[in-house]
Amino acid sequence: MLGIVAAVLFFISFLINAADIGTNDVFSSVNIMLLGLTALALHVAGIGAGMPRRR
């Protein structure tokens, strides 16, 4: 799930950068890209993937 979130954040960051949209400092393309990298790191670490059920 976090991998999909990271992909969406990277795509939004790309659109902001490619369209040269003027945003404030909080929603700059670099900050959104860093949020995507954080989500990707959590996905690779196994957080948010769900726990397997024991029977």
Side-chain angles (χ1 to χ4, degrees):
M1 181 70 179
L2 286 174
I4 295 170
V5 171
V8 169
L9 288 173
F10 286 139
F11 182 70
I12 291 171
S13 175
F14 171 74
L15 287 180
I16 290 173
N17 193 18
D20 198 28
I21 297 173
T23 59
N24 58 8
D25 292 335
V26 176
F27 293 112
S28 68
S29 64
V30 174
N31 287 342
I32 295 175
M33 183 184 61
L34 290 175
L35 287 174
L37 284 173
T38 302
L40 187 62
L42 289 172
H43 174 73
V44 170
I47 310 261
M51 298 291 290
R53 294 184 183 181
R54 293 185 183 179
R55 290 189 162 209

